[in-house]
Amino acid sequence: MGADAEIFVFDYGRYRSDVVPALLELLRTGEVVPWLDDVFRAATPMDGQGYDVLWPRLASQLRERPTDLARYCTWLGPDLRYVGEDRVNRATREQLTCPSLTCPERVRCPFRQDGDRHAVEELNTLHEALVAVCCLGPSQFVGRTVTPDYYLPVLERQGVPADDPLRALLAALARRGAALGYQYGVTEGIHGWLTVAETAELAARLGHLDLPRYEPTFAAMANLSKRAGPTRREWQDVSLSFVRTVATIAAGAGRSVLWGNDVIPDLWRQTHGIQA
């Protein structure tokens, strides 16, 4: 069936104030801040294979090889966004590693070319779980097994210039999660996110395009989904209008947006017991 792609209302403020510092501290010292320790303890036991065991084990491993990303890393941004090469090949996701030969932390960092890929995978699942239960609000389905690159034909048809900031905003939704966000499937995971200011700009710029118009509510989007045209071209327009509408709703509430494929907050809560 493929992965459900959704655009979420995203609490970027809480992400920066709670989630990012907790992950940076975990990497820097292997220590688990108190609220994150509560998350670990609350995770559903699964005969030694649940996150109640896997994540504390990860913390123990990181304690032996601490990495100060906040001080040294130039491959990830301050909010853990990927800032490497623009083009990321999802087919080679497992080989996405930091190429730096000069970083003082390269001997210990799990993101280095010969780093601990299992630790990186566990960090990705932890990142997704915390974002899902701490930071995500309502969402709108925008397609199956698609990414924001799906809208490039719409931009071409509507004559959006190659250097228009709209293209960069959609690219950010597609690729900021390349290091911490993408999961180890075909398209699953957090693809990217925007800041609050970027979200407002995205809503405004999409508002200038010739896309379906309706009341900017989730109910209106649900109604339009039921009667959306059958052609790929029509669905691309409708889907991009959903991105515009969710960005408009988010910006109005002082929030931002995040693109995720099969990122399901209720699954983390109900199946894995992750609460925060």
Side-chain angles (χ1 to χ4, degrees):
M1 289 183 59
D4 285 351
E6 295 180 85
I7 186 78
F8 290 85
V9 174
F10 178 44
D11 189 343
Y12 184 74
R14 188 176 183 194
Y15 176 67
R16 289 301 305 269
S17 66
D18 293 354
V19 175
V20 171
L23 291 176
L24 289 175
E25 183 65 13
L26 185 66
L27 280 157
R28 188 178 69 86
T29 65
E31 298 301 320
V32 183
V33 299
W35 75 265
L36 186 55
D37 187 52
D38 291 340
V39 171
F40 287 4
R41 293 177 184 277
T44 303
M46 296 180 181
D47 295 326
Q49 298 301 312
Y51 292 114
D52 63 318
V53 172
L54 296 179
W55 286 335
R57 183 184 302 163
L58 171 66
S60 178
Q61 294 169 349
L62 293 175
R63 200 171 299 126
E64 297 176 359
R65 304 177 72 85
T67 306
D68 193 343
L69 290 185
R71 183 175 182 182
Y72 295 109
C73 187
T74 59
W75 192 65
L76 295 174
D79 61 357
L80 301 177
R81 71 181 64 177
Y82 172 68
V83 293
E85 295 181 0
D86 288 342
R87 298 196 63 81
V88 179
N89 185 352
R90 285 304 301 255
T92 58
R93 168 63 183 87
E94 292 84 350
Q95 285 75 49
L96 182 62
T97 55
C98 177
S100 175
L101 298 177
T102 59
C103 176
E105 298 287 68
R106 66 187 183 279
V107 175
R108 295 178 294 275
C109 182
F111 295 104
R112 70 187 188 277
Q113 291 183 346
D114 60 345
D116 185 346
R117 305 313 297 166
H118 179 72
V120 173
E121 186 172 353
E122 291 295 344
L123 281 166
N124 270 271
T125 59
L126 177 58
H127 178 266
E128 179 178 309
L130 296 180
V131 168
V133 301
C134 293
C135 306
L136 295 187
S139 66
Q140 173 60 43
F141 172 79
V142 291
R144 202 168 306 284
T145 315
V146 299
T147 75
D149 291 342
Y150 180 66
Y151 304 124
L152 293 179
V154 181
L155 304 187
E156 294 299 321
R157 288 196 299 268
Q158 301 211 19
V160 177
D163 60 350
D164 192 292
L166 175 57
R167 292 180 180 268
L169 292 168
L170 290 174
L173 280 177
R175 287 180 273 282
R176 280 184 180 168
L180 270 174
Y182 289 2
Q183 298 302 324
Y184 284 70
V186 179
T187 65
E188 295 90 340
I190 294 169
H191 286 241
W193 56 86
L194 300 181
T195 66
V196 176
E198 288 172 333
T199 298
E201 182 179 5
L202 177 68
R205 290 186 177 278
L206 287 175
H208 295 309
L209 299 187
D210 182 17
L211 299 171
R213 301 287 170 179
Y214 45 85
E215 184 181 3
T217 65
F218 282 97
M221 288 187 287
N223 288 332
L224 186 57
S225 291
K226 296 175 184 177
R227 54 186 176 85
T231 70
R232 177 183 177 89
R233 176 169 176 164
E234 288 170 330
W235 174 246
Q236 284 175 329
D237 287 348
V238 169
S239 179
L240 188 53
S241 82
F242 290 163
V243 175
R244 176 202 65 209
T245 302
V246 175
T248 299
I249 294 170
R255 297 288 189 264
S256 57
V257 290
L258 176 145
W259 183 291
N261 282 23
D262 276 358
V263 176
I264 309 172
D266 284 346
L267 183 65
W268 283 108
R269 294 187 183 100
Q270 295 170 7
T271 302
H272 299 295
I274 306 302
Q275 305 288 335

